[in-house]
Structures are given as structure tokens and as C-alpha cells.
């Protein structure tokens, strides 16, 4: 193995907005940020620290987390997701938060945002 999930530099911080069943939760990140690209991977991104979860469905603005067991989330919980394709994240966001571990270091603008002519 070349690297582990924790070695990935880009993550998306998403919030749980609904827990409709013991096996499902809905997050506020969908195809506009996570991309619908599967790239041979299972699901639409990897939730750090929760290998039991799969992001199995996306709408434009929301994603669904699925687990065989108890999903064990509440509305307002936050998850960090390694997206399958980083380009979409940079294209859709005006700024990024720079973190080291769990500590915010600073914010930075995505300077290429909106520059396609």
C-alpha cells in the first residue's frame, strides 16, 4: 500500500442533516461537491474513521450514508470525507480551510474558481 486514507490531503467536511433509519443518514454534501465519479471504488467517497460506511446515493446537494449495522449518528454530527475526485471540490468551492490534524490553520481562496473562459 502506498498510503492510507489519513494521508490524503483533501477532505470534505459534511454535516448529518437527517437520520431516517438505523442504517441510513443523510449529509449535506452531494454530487456537486463529492462527484458522481466512482473510479472503480465502492461508494462516492470514503468517510474517515468509519470503514463500515458507504456513501451509496447522491443527489446534487445531499448524500446518503449506509451501514450494515447501526449508523450511530445524530443530526448535526460532522464527518470528513475523502472524495473520489478532487477536481470537483476545487471547482465548486470559493475557499478551503487548511487543517493540520484536527486543528484549523487558516483559510485560503480557491484562486482558479470561476476562471474558465
Amino acid at each position: 500500500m502506498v498510503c492510507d486514507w489519513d494521508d490524503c490531503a483533501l477532505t470534505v467536511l459534511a454535516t448529518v442533516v437527517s437520520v431516517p433509519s438505523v442504517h441510513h443518514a443523510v449529509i449535506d454534501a452531494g454530487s456537486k461537491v463529492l462527484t458522481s465519479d466512482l473510479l472503480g471504488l465502492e461508494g462516492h467517497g470514503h468517510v474517515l474513521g468509519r470503514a463500515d460506511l458507504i456513501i451509496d446515493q447522491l443527489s446534487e446537494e445531499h448524500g446518503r450514508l449506509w451501514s450494515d449495522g447501526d449508523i450511530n449518528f445524530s443530526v448535526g454530527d460532522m464527518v470528513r470525507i475523502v472524495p473520489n475526485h478532487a477536481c470537483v471540490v476545487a471547482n465548486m468551492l470559493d475557499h478551503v480551510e487548511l487543517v493540520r490534524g484536527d486543528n484549523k490553520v487558516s483559510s485560503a481562496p480557491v484562486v482558479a474558481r470561476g476562471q474558465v473562459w
Side-chain angles (χ1 to χ4, degrees), residues 8-9 11-14 46-49 78-82 99 101-102:
C8 294
T11 61
V12 172
L13 186 62
H46 177 79
V47 180
L48 292 178
M78 301 186 84
V79 294
R80 284 179 70 179
I81 301 166
V82 177
V99 297
D102 290 330

Side-chain angles (χ1 to χ4, degrees), residues 8 10 19 23 30 33 35 38 42 48 58 67 72 74-75 80-81 86-87 94 97 100 104 112 114:
C8 294
L10 179 72
V19 185
H23 299 289
V33 174
T35 187
L38 291 174
E42 184 176 21
L48 292 178
L58 296 177
S67 176
N72 203 24
S74 297
V75 171
R80 284 179 70 179
I81 301 166
C87 295
D94 293 326
E97 300 296 325
R100 185 170 306 281
K104 179 180 171 184

